[in-house]
Amino acid sequence: MTKQDGPTVIKKYANRRLYNTGTSAYVTLEDLAAMVKKGEDFTVQDAKTGEDITHAVLTQIIFEQESKATSTLLPISFLRQLITFYGDQMQMFVPGFLDQSMKAFTAQQSQMREQVERAFGDTPFGKNLQLPIQMVEEQMKRNAELFQQAMQMFTPFGGTPPKETRKAEPSDLDELKKQLRALQEKLDSLA
């Protein structure tokens, strides 16, 4: 079969079955997850209406993955924070922020892999190497710091808009320091 231009179309039928028009075969959510991991582009359409339901299906894949106790990625605190943004005036900024955060994380992950490959090369040790805890912790700290800085854009100073017109009083600074320490402790506990 010749490769079509653009993303593969997956049709979802009323009986909840998914049909890959590129391979002319029925697929499962696990198959779609594997396609995502391989970098294959696809859209999911309602077979009857033609409506694009890709977002709903990808969310369903995440839900099923999160339901498996051994493979959760989203901490409860993150889910709670995410829920608070629905209906909030900042909601329109969250998708772009999350998209950029994931791109930055993916780039950092690729850099770490390249560093391990350069350090250990094609040796058996290099092929089977589990990243040392210290490297992973450093990466997690950097990611937590980036996330913390970005989240401060959404809720600067614990939800109070910054007061640029006056100098912060010593009590204001102490309160800010206390809030930053509390936030850092939360981030450290997540890491």
Side-chain angles (χ1 to χ4, degrees):
M1 175 173 267
T2 60
K3 177 103 172 116
Q4 63 185 23
D5 291 336
T8 301
V9 175
I10 308 294
K11 298 218 178 236
K12 185 172 184 180
Y13 290 92
N15 62 3
R16 297 174 20 196
R17 293 197 66 187
L18 298 162
Y19 184 77
N20 184 331
T21 61
T23 61
S24 300
Y26 285 99
V27 293
T28 64
L29 290 176
E30 291 82 18
D31 295 328
L32 294 182
M35 289 172 69
V36 169
K37 289 178 182 180
K38 291 178 188 174
E40 296 179 33
D41 194 15
F42 62 86
T43 62
V44 183
Q45 297 176 356
D46 182 285
K48 187 175 183 179
T49 66
E51 177 187 1
D52 186 339
I53 56 172
T54 308
H55 185 274
V57 171
L58 293 175
T59 304
Q60 185 178 0
I61 291 169
I62 291 170
F63 175 77
E64 288 197 5
Q65 292 296 314
E66 286 293 311
S67 297
K68 298 175 183 175
T70 59
S71 67
T72 59
L73 290 178
L74 304 174
I76 290 174
S77 59
F78 174 80
L79 293 172
R80 288 181 195 270
Q81 184 67 44
L82 192 59
I83 289 168
T84 65
F85 287 122
Y86 283 99
D88 185 90
Q89 59 189 356
M90 299 305 289
Q91 179 177 345
M92 61 190 260
F93 298 109
V94 174
F97 164 73
L98 292 176
D99 188 40
Q100 290 301 317
S101 296
M102 286 305 292
K103 286 177 181 173
F105 179 79
T106 302
Q108 290 174 353
Q109 184 181 27
S110 296
Q111 289 173 353
M112 285 177 63
R113 285 189 178 138
E114 288 173 12
Q115 289 172 355
V116 169
E117 285 179 21
R118 278 195 302 262
F120 298 101
D122 202 23
T123 65
F125 181 70
K127 289 180 182 175
N128 297 318
L129 181 68
Q130 293 289 330
L131 287 177
I133 297 293
Q134 187 176 21
M135 285 177 67
V136 173
E137 286 176 348
E138 284 179 29
Q139 190 64 44
M140 289 175 71
K141 279 183 184 177
R142 280 190 295 241
N143 289 339
E145 288 169 4
L146 286 172
F147 185 74
Q148 178 183 7
Q149 291 169 358
M151 290 307 290
Q152 285 176 345
M153 289 182 353
F154 294 116
T155 54
F157 309 105
T160 307
K163 296 176 183 164
E164 297 175 19
T165 57
R166 67 178 180 90
K167 278 188 166 181
E169 299 296 324
S171 61
D172 290 339
L173 289 175
D174 293 338
E175 182 61 32
L176 289 174
K177 288 177 184 177
K178 191 184 305 181
Q179 289 176 0
L180 284 173
R181 277 194 296 272
L183 188 56
Q184 185 63 47
E185 288 172 12
K186 284 181 185 178
L187 288 171
D188 289 344
S189 70
L190 290 175

